[in-house]
Amino acid sequence: MAKTNFIIKLLDRILPPDLHHLIGDLEEEYHITKKEEGVAKARLKFCSQCIRTMPWFILQSINWNTTMFYNYLKVSWRNMKKHMGFSLINVMGLAVSLAVCLLMILFIIDQKSYDQFHEHSGRIVRVTSEIGSSDGIDPVESYAISPITLAERLEEQYPEVEKAVPVNDRFSGSFTHSGLDVQLSGFYSNSNFLSVFDFKLSQGNPETALEEPFSVVLRAESAKKLFGEKGAMGKTFRKVNGREYNVTGIIDDSRKTHMNFEMIGSFSTMAADPDLSRWTESWKNTLWDSWTYVLLQDDNKKADFEEKIQEQISLAYSEDGTSLIKAFTVQPLTNINLSSAKYNENGMVLPGIIVLFLLGFTGIITLIACFNYVSLTVSRALSRSREVGVRKVHGAFRSSVIKQFIIEAVMISLFALVFALFILQWLLPEFNSLSFISLLESEVSRSLFFEPEVLTAFVLFSVLVGLVAGFYPSLYLSSFNPAQVLKGISTAGKISGQTLKKIITVGQFSFSIIFITSSLILFLQFKHLTQTDCGFDEEAVVNVSLNGADYEILRGKLMQDPNVENVASANVVPAMGAIYTMEVSTESHPEVVESQSINVDENYLSTMGIDLVAGRNFNSEMRTDTNKAVIITTELVKGVGIASPADALDQKVKLDGSEKEYRVIGVVNNFISVDPVSSDDPTVLLFAPEKARMAVVKTKPGKTVAFIGGLEDVWESLNSPYSLEYTILDQELRENPSLVIFIDFVKVIGLIAAFSIFISCLGLLGLAIYSAESRIKEIGIRKVLGASVNQLVLTLSKEYIWMISIAVIISIPAGWFINSIWLDYISNKADFGPMIYASGAVIAILLATVTISTQTYRSARSSPIQNLRSE
Amino acid sequence: MEELILLSVWKLQKEAYGLEIRNHLSELSGQDLSVGAVYVPLKRLKKRGYLESWDSEPTEERGGRSKRFFKLTQKGVNALQKVRMVQESAWSDLPDLGFGWVPAKE
């Protein structure tokens, strides 16, 4: 009986209602046969009938379902057109959320695709190490590296290794060819690199290119940097103050890989170059920047392989029975990006946690979008309920009404997808231009957009969203009792989700206000930072890198230039983030004060326009100045507990824990020494012209360009192997990376703010529409009793004014609190004034009013006669 | 086949629903007819207007489903008549081929 029941139920579901009598006949026959000839015969007959007719059943079913489906589509389309405005709002709301979700999905797909293009990517693994200290004190951590000699050993000793590739990334520095010098960095590796990985060689023979010592394979872009448009193949170039290298190949391949290299030098170079071979003597020297990749014969044997190679630790990498390598692990190539983070990674690798974070973010946005869809759809419930009632009276099963609404939701979602794709066209380049993305070199490539798998993923995702979003409204809308609805009795009791919706809308608004306020604050702060007074004169200052040239000689030459006012020496450019800290203490203040330090000469203060508030400048004539004098800032004076700058003079300070004492000969006002965000770091200036790294040149105002014009010649005359490197201070300050990161924040937070206020207004709209519909009679009556349009608008808006006020009351203090957390870290604050916190609220209130008024005005102006007459 | 179905509907009168028609025809032809062989023509005949159908109240025995009864229409009878006439002339005047049987002359 069970089996037949199952089949009957199945037939029930798939066959059109028209054929249900057929099922009934079968069932009846079964019962009769059972009575007359026994269960076995009955079952046999039943099953044989079913089997014989199965093809026809299936055909009927397909026919029926297709027609129904087509019908649903037609109705959905008609419905959408009928409520055009409303559908559009739904579509836009979903579109915005979809765009963000799709962006995340694209990002994850892109990251996961790294290194997929290698032909053997399935069989390539990397050997990584678990490292702790030999004595077992330090905790064992996961590192991406492995000993440089491991590759050779693995290839020799294990037949399951087809090829092993050692990689070391110390191949870097300044390289030059016919006068041009270029910073390049890359790997040392052997021929296996080119055969195991599939980087396309546009020139050169992959089998021989990395055999000979001092052979280098360049990336096409690097070749262009060194050799210009002329071919690089076969030519030689030199490391500045170093050896010659032969170009034996050009790699022209821009496909994404986790490895970051501009060139590959042959592994044999490391042994052949006497400078290098010294430091490759012990595997420990090169452990921290070497990686080992292995091409396995068989991709199923990874676990076995991993077990086997553990013996290598004791065979080759232990001393006295212990090793700092505790274990080797084997990691598939395609897993390197976006899985658990390891130390000393090869190139830019993102940890897998990011995926979870992004997925979570996507999930939240999807939920918010679905919630809004539900809210808006349900608020139209009243007007749609009549439609549902009619359908039901005509015999539609509840399930088909449900299917109807779900299909409608999916349709809207797919439309939203189209819009989302358009939004993405704008959003993607914006995302890629975020500086932290380009820093990490994780831009998402646009070509990904058009991959079929990606598009399918998108479509599936929107369908999913449609299903989720449409689920509740369809259940809800289809539950209307046709009799009640057609009579016009509003099922007010059921629609009590109103309170929940109100709470959520208040939440959305508060959230938006906080974000709007924050982005405004960020923006103002950013502007302030760019315009801030540094405490020194940054105009017309050029920093010239010495790169080993003699400072005095350079100064002598530069001072002869009529465009030059003064030249000083320094080891860092202030306010650019370079940090040289020193711990300063005095006898009376033994606790150290962490300070910034700059090594300067006697010209520094005047060149940089920094004024003394007490004491005197360094004097090169005084021998005691040379290694016993310091000039400190007023902040440091305070830091060591001295009352006034004047009192600080002649005090003795100790630096970095050494017993040597320095005498304070001068005090200057605070200036920005590291970062524009803090204008009051304690700073100590040391007289150390011999430690200079750059010449700080103050040109006469307006003469900077002229000066730079002549600078090239002056540099030439120094005969330095390096080419001229200089920066213009005020330009450099403007392009300061920490400022740029700020822009990122402004962009992201601003976008989130825009997004969330949009969604909140949509939610509010939903509420407004519902309210207008349900109070239609009330409005009619009020109008008849003489209320004016304006009075009506006020009456209707009352509940919203209430809600928004709550949102404002919550968000203003919250916004203040949240922003003060990060503002506290910034001593160089912009002057905000309390009004800024209100500004977010003002914007939100404005938008909300516009939203609500569309509905209130519409209903206030509707004809009362029509309203009261309906049904 | 369709002719047989129309005839069985005719004969069965008030009992003419899917199952009965199928059983009747199975008895008549001696073969175990499949569901498809009966219901498909029934549907077709209904479409062509030779048959009408009406559904009864659902019964427990049939899992809450109704029975669908069929009735001959005027058009159906006319069609049968026509077929009968065609058949008669086709079966008349058949010569003796020596196979041992010739239809009886009426």
Side-chain angles (χ1 to χ4, degrees):
Chain A
M1 196 55 219
K3 203 166 30 145
T4 53
N5 246 347
F6 168 73
I7 300 183
I8 289 180
K9 283 218 173 50
L10 182 66
L11 289 176
D12 243 339
R13 304 208 113 229
I14 64 173
L15 287 181
D18 203 38
L19 285 182
H20 274 56
H21 69 279
L22 195 159
I23 307 178
D25 286 347
L26 277 174
E27 204 174 328
E28 197 184 320
E29 182 187 38
Y30 175 81
H31 283 293
I32 296 178
T33 327
K34 188 165 110 175
K35 229 188 309 179
E36 290 180 5
E37 303 181 46
V39 176
K41 193 77 197 285
R43 209 178 285 171
L44 187 65
K45 233 187 180 179
F46 182 80
C47 289
S48 79
Q49 279 300 336
C50 285
I51 295 177
R52 281 162 82 181
T53 337
M54 206 34 98
W56 184 72
F57 280 157
I58 294 180
L59 196 68
Q60 290 302 303
S61 175
I62 293 178
N63 202 350
W64 162 247
N65 282 322
T66 321
T67 329
M68 276 305 277
F69 191 71
Y70 188 59
N71 188 328
Y72 288 141
L73 284 180
K74 268 205 294 191
V75 175
S76 297
W77 176 240
R78 244 187 292 148
N79 271 328
M80 273 186 73
K81 283 212 288 198
K82 205 159 66 142
H83 307 119
M84 182 56 96
F86 172 71
S87 308
L88 213 66
I89 295 174
N90 253 341
V91 166
M92 289 319 287
L94 277 181
V96 172
S97 327
L98 267 180
V100 178
C101 295
L102 293 182
L103 182 65
M104 312 269 139
I105 294 181
L106 260 183
F107 184 73
I108 296 180
I109 293 182
D110 182 71
Q111 289 291 314
K112 267 297 179 187
S113 74
Y114 277 27
D115 286 311
Q116 297 274 8
F117 63 89
H118 302 292
E119 195 188 322
H120 309 297
S121 57
R123 292 192 282 139
I124 303 178
V125 297
R126 184 171 68 172
V127 177
T128 56
S129 318
E130 303 291 308
I131 297 183
S133 55
S134 304
D135 48 15
I137 293 187
D138 292 327
V140 177
E141 307 271 14
S142 218
Y143 284 78
I145 51 185
S146 45
I148 205 174
T149 51
L150 187 62
E152 198 180 334
R153 298 179 66 90
L154 289 179
E155 205 172 308
E156 282 172 9
Q157 299 181 22
Y158 299 94
E160 53 262 68
V161 170
E162 197 178 307
K163 294 208 172 115
V165 187
V167 171
N168 180 286
D169 83 346
R170 287 220 201 175
F171 189 25
S172 66
S174 276
F175 296 85
T176 176
H177 168 80
S178 53
L180 264 164
D181 81 52
V182 175
Q183 290 284 104
L184 289 176
S185 71
F187 300 152
Y188 286 114
S189 191
N190 61 18
S191 306
N192 286 343
F193 188 91
L194 295 174
S195 52
V196 167
F197 298 114
D198 277 313
F199 294 107
K200 264 193 289 238
L201 236 62
S202 65
Q203 294 181 49
N205 182 344
E207 298 190 9
T208 57
L210 289 177
E211 262 183 33
E212 295 297 314
F214 301 103
S215 307
V216 174
V217 172
L218 291 171
R219 273 213 196 256
E221 304 84 33
S222 322
K224 212 187 268 186
K225 277 199 241 177
L226 265 181
F227 295 92
E229 291 301 327
K230 311 174 252 164
M233 188 64 197
K235 303 224 176 86
T236 55
F237 64 101
R238 301 174 58 245
K239 182 162 184 177
V240 174
N241 287 339
R243 304 187 181 271
E244 263 193 14
Y245 298 92
N246 302 309
V247 179
T248 51
I250 308 278
I251 289 184
D252 199 352
D253 194 328
S254 55
R255 292 176 293 186
K256 294 216 169 171
T257 167
H258 75 284
M259 296 189 269
N260 202 359
F261 61 92
E262 293 172 293
M263 57 187 181
I264 306 182
S266 57
F267 201 68
S268 43
T269 314
M270 293 213 294
D273 187 338
D275 299 326
L276 296 177
S277 58
R278 261 180 293 125
W279 125 97
T280 54
E281 258 165 29
S282 163
W283 61 271
K284 287 206 199 154
N285 295 339
T286 50
L287 174 63
W288 306 98
D289 37 37
S290 302
W291 299 271
T292 308
Y293 297 87
V294 173
L295 177 64
L296 294 173
Q297 298 277 8
D298 189 344
D299 69 352
N300 282 330
K301 298 278 175 32
K302 294 187 185 111
D304 296 330
F305 181 62
E306 188 179 281
E307 253 191 74
K308 276 194 177 178
I309 59 176
Q310 301 304 325
E311 59 186 7
Q312 290 295 323
I313 301 178
S314 44
L315 285 178
Y317 305 113
S318 301
E319 287 157 353
D320 306 321
T322 60
S323 168
L324 43 71
I325 300 180
K326 303 299 172 199
F328 284 130
T329 44
V330 168
Q331 182 189 36
L333 177 69
T334 47
N335 258 19
I336 292 182
N337 201 6
L338 282 194
S339 55
S340 54
K342 296 186 191 288
Y343 287 100
N344 290 48
E345 256 301 348
N346 184 5
M348 279 298 180
V349 167
L350 292 177
I353 289 289
I354 290 202
V355 177
L356 282 180
F357 180 73
L358 287 180
L359 283 180
F361 198 57
T362 312
I364 294 182
I365 297 192
T366 311
L367 278 180
I368 297 181
C370 291
F371 178 79
N372 267 326
Y373 178 84
V374 168
S375 161
L376 280 172
T377 311
V378 166
S379 56
R380 285 292 260 171
L382 277 183
S383 53
R384 304 280 308 262
S385 57
R386 220 159 294 153
E387 169 196 337
V388 176
V390 166
R391 285 195 133 215
K392 277 193 157 181
V393 160
H394 277 171
F397 290 106
R398 182 169 176 204
S399 62
S400 44
V401 176
I402 292 182
K403 280 189 222 159
Q404 169 68 53
F405 285 116
I406 290 193
I407 296 215
E408 224 176 272
V410 172
M411 240 184 129
I412 291 192
S413 184
L414 287 173
F415 268 106
L417 176 64
V418 174
F419 277 99
L421 287 178
F422 276 107
I423 298 181
L424 213 52
Q425 294 285 0
W426 167 82
L427 192 60
L428 191 58
E430 277 299 315
F431 178 76
N432 281 338
S433 73
L434 282 180
S435 53
F436 79 88
I437 293 285
S438 49
L439 247 138
L440 293 177
E441 292 173 22
S442 331
E443 289 100 331
V444 179
S445 48
R446 292 193 77 145
S447 59
L448 253 198
F449 229 60
F450 303 107
E451 296 274 326
E453 297 101 21
V454 171
L455 287 176
T456 344
F458 283 175
V459 170
L460 284 178
F461 187 73
S462 351
V463 169
L464 183 68
V465 170
L467 287 175
V468 170
F471 181 69
Y472 178 71
S474 59
L475 282 182
Y476 177 71
L477 285 173
S478 63
S479 70
F480 287 137
N481 187 324
Q484 279 188 318
V485 161
L486 286 175
K487 281 200 215 149
I489 301 173
S490 103
T491 48
K494 269 201 175 185
I495 316 179
S496 65
Q498 278 304 93
T499 349
L500 181 66
K501 273 193 275 179
K502 285 193 184 166
I503 295 180
I504 296 195
T505 308
V506 169
Q508 284 176 329
F509 262 98
S510 314
F511 190 75
S512 315
I513 295 179
I514 294 178
F515 267 88
I516 295 178
T517 313
S518 304
S519 39
L520 282 174
I521 293 184
L522 273 168
F523 182 69
L524 286 177
Q525 176 64 31
F526 167 72
K527 285 210 74 184
H528 173 82
L529 286 179
T530 52
Q531 296 163 346
T532 200
D533 178 18
C534 299
F536 52 82
D537 189 4
E538 70 266 24
E539 273 193 39
V541 175
V542 179
N543 291 308
V544 183
S545 300
L546 291 178
N547 276 329
D550 186 312
Y551 166 67
E552 291 297 335
I553 298 181
L554 179 58
R555 182 167 198 275
K557 298 198 183 215
L558 288 174
M559 288 303 286
Q560 290 174 8
D561 186 335
N563 291 322
V564 171
E565 251 188 48
N566 206 345
V567 179
S569 76
N571 62 342
V572 287
V573 180
M576 283 306 293
I579 300 182
Y580 284 83
T581 54
M582 285 217 160
E583 295 174 338
V584 180
S585 60
T586 63
E587 266 199 61
S588 51
H589 193 277
E591 300 89 45
V592 295
V593 177
E594 183 140 327
S595 317
Q596 304 299 323
S597 81
I598 311 183
N599 296 332
V600 300
D601 70 356
E602 70 275 16
N603 300 302
Y604 195 74
L605 291 184
S606 62
T607 309
M608 293 294 282
I610 302 176
D611 294 321
L612 283 162
V613 293
R616 62 171 178 85
N617 192 3
F618 294 117
N619 190 338
S620 54
E621 318 261 303
M622 298 185 63
R623 277 196 31 224
T624 47
D625 274 5
T626 337
N627 55 4
K628 288 240 177 85
V630 290
I631 297 180
I632 63 178
T633 56
T634 46
E635 193 61 32
L636 185 50
V637 168
K638 265 193 275 173
V640 290
I642 299 177
S644 80
D647 293 335
L649 297 179
D650 284 337
Q651 289 291 322
K652 305 274 198 299
V653 295
K654 298 206 188 121
L655 299 176
D656 272 351
S658 92
E659 279 306 310
K660 178 167 168 195
E661 284 184 342
Y662 291 80
R663 199 158 61 95
V664 176
I665 58 162
V667 179
V668 292
N669 264 328
N670 290 331
F671 62 94
I672 298 184
S673 43
V674 176
D675 214 298
V677 298
S678 60
S679 53
D680 56 4
D681 286 327
T683 313
V684 53
L685 298 173
L686 296 158
F687 187 63
E690 70 283 2
K691 292 199 190 149
R693 297 268 200 86
M694 60 188 67
V696 183
V697 182
K698 175 99 182 161
T699 68
K700 300 219 168 80
K703 297 284 184 197
T704 319
V705 178
F707 163 69
I708 293 178
L711 187 55
E712 186 66 55
D713 291 328
V714 177
W715 185 258
E716 279 291 312
S717 69
L718 285 176
N719 289 319
S720 161
Y722 294 89
S723 48
L724 174 63
E725 272 173 51
Y726 69 89
T727 53
I728 305 175
L729 186 60
D730 53 13
Q731 201 176 12
E732 217 184 335
L733 285 177
R734 271 198 302 267
E735 294 165 7
N736 189 343
S738 55
L739 286 185
V740 170
I741 297 281
F742 237 83
I743 300 186
D744 273 4
F745 266 99
V746 174
K747 277 192 194 173
V748 170
I749 303 277
L751 189 69
I752 297 183
F755 175 77
S756 101
I757 192 76
F758 181 66
I759 295 287
S760 313
C761 286
L762 280 189
L764 194 62
L765 189 61
L767 280 180
I769 294 179
Y770 169 73
S771 174
E773 302 260 327
S774 64
R775 294 168 78 173
I776 241 179
K777 295 252 182 74
E778 176 192 337
I779 296 172
I781 294 176
R782 282 179 187 262
K783 268 205 140 169
V784 164
L785 290 180
S788 72
V789 170
N790 287 335
Q791 278 177 308
L792 273 175
V793 169
L794 207 61
T795 327
L796 287 173
S797 313
K798 247 194 289 196
E799 47 176 337
Y800 304 112
I801 298 180
W802 191 224
M803 273 180 10
I804 298 193
S805 317
I806 298 183
V808 167
I809 294 178
I810 296 178
S811 58
I812 290 192
W816 176 84
F817 180 70
I818 291 179
N819 277 304
S820 62
I821 295 180
W822 64 268
L823 278 176
D824 271 347
Y825 283 99
I826 299 186
S827 52
N828 189 9
K829 281 198 269 262
D831 192 16
F832 296 120
M835 283 321 290
I836 192 84
Y837 297 102
S839 58
V842 166
I843 294 181
I845 292 178
L846 219 71
L847 288 171
T849 321
V850 167
T851 313
I852 303 173
S853 52
T854 51
Q855 288 307 306
T856 49
Y857 268 97
R858 195 171 73 136
S859 18
R861 263 188 271 167
S862 60
S863 152
I865 307 165
Q866 281 231 342
N867 294 344
L868 290 169
R869 177 193 287 172
S870 67
E871 28 257 312
Chain B
M1 192 63 214
E2 301 185 332
E3 182 192 342
L4 290 175
I5 289 184
L6 285 172
L7 289 172
S8 46
V9 170
W10 193 337
K11 196 175 280 186
L12 292 173
Q13 290 188 156
K14 289 246 155 59
E15 302 291 308
Y17 70 101
L19 185 61
E20 270 304 318
I21 298 173
R22 187 154 70 86
N23 284 339
H24 181 241
L25 282 174
S26 301
E27 263 181 55
L28 216 60
S29 64
Q31 284 179 330
D32 203 5
L33 291 177
S34 81
V35 158
V38 174
Y39 287 81
V40 174
L42 274 174
K43 202 166 169 184
R44 234 182 300 152
L45 291 168
K46 184 168 139 190
K47 203 168 173 193
R48 290 216 217 119
Y50 298 161
L51 287 177
E52 274 174 352
S53 74
W54 56 280
D55 291 343
S56 72
E57 281 302 310
T59 63
E60 226 0 90
E61 207 180 52
R62 298 161 58 86
R65 298 181 195 83
S66 40
K67 288 194 206 192
R68 185 165 286 178
F69 290 93
F70 293 88
K71 203 168 81 156
L72 223 62
T73 58
Q74 178 68 56
K75 218 165 155 192
V77 174
N78 292 346
L80 275 174
Q81 192 183 25
K82 220 194 305 191
V83 167
R84 186 73 169 144
M85 286 191 339
V86 169
Q87 285 237 317
E88 274 183 8
S89 51
W91 280 87
S92 66
D93 297 326
L94 286 171
D96 184 349
L97 290 178
F99 283 122
W101 177 74
V102 154
K105 300 237 167 69
E106 306 216 340

